[in-house]
Amino acid sequence: AGVAAMAEGEGLLSVDYEVSGKVQGVFFRKYTQGEAKRLGLVGWVQNTSHGTVQGQVQGPAARVRELQEWLRKTGSPQSRISRAEFRNEKKIEVLEHGDFQIVK
């Protein structure tokens, strides 16, 4: 009930992301998952074949914005982020994921 109550009034957002730079082999997915869970967000993260990290995040708008900022500027301690792109941002009625997973 906590998440539903928190989401009322500000709405839920879903957004796809892709982060470029030195983001593979530096625990970027693990840290992204940790940060997303800390913020109470759901979604997924995976490495791509072209050296980026991509995924989707869903949750209360303000929290999604916090993770976007984190993906843009912070990342994992050893990562070097050159670019974070966000697309397919949309308002959703219900969360489409049960938690935040690392996809192989």
Side-chain angles (χ1 to χ4, degrees), residues 18-88:
E18 184 167 9
V19 184
S20 310
K22 186 186 168 206
V23 293
Q24 288 192 7
V26 290
F27 300 104
F28 198 90
R29 292 174 302 169
K30 186 174 173 7
Y31 275 87
T32 299
Q33 180 187 47
E35 188 66 10
K37 288 190 166 183
R38 187 183 73 75
L39 291 168
L41 299 170
V42 300
W44 54 274
V45 60
Q46 73 180 156
N47 285 339
T48 68
S49 57
H50 50 271
T52 64
V53 168
Q54 69 175 14
Q56 185 178 69
V57 57
Q58 298 182 343
R63 301 292 177 90
V64 169
R65 296 274 175 256
E66 280 188 63
L67 188 71
Q68 285 179 298
E69 194 68 0
W70 185 90
L71 287 167
R72 238 186 235 114
K73 300 198 166 130
T74 310
S76 65
Q78 266 104 51
S79 67
R80 292 288 172 272
I81 299 163
S82 60
R83 193 169 74 226
E85 292 178 86
F86 303 99
R87 49 186 174 269
N88 301 328

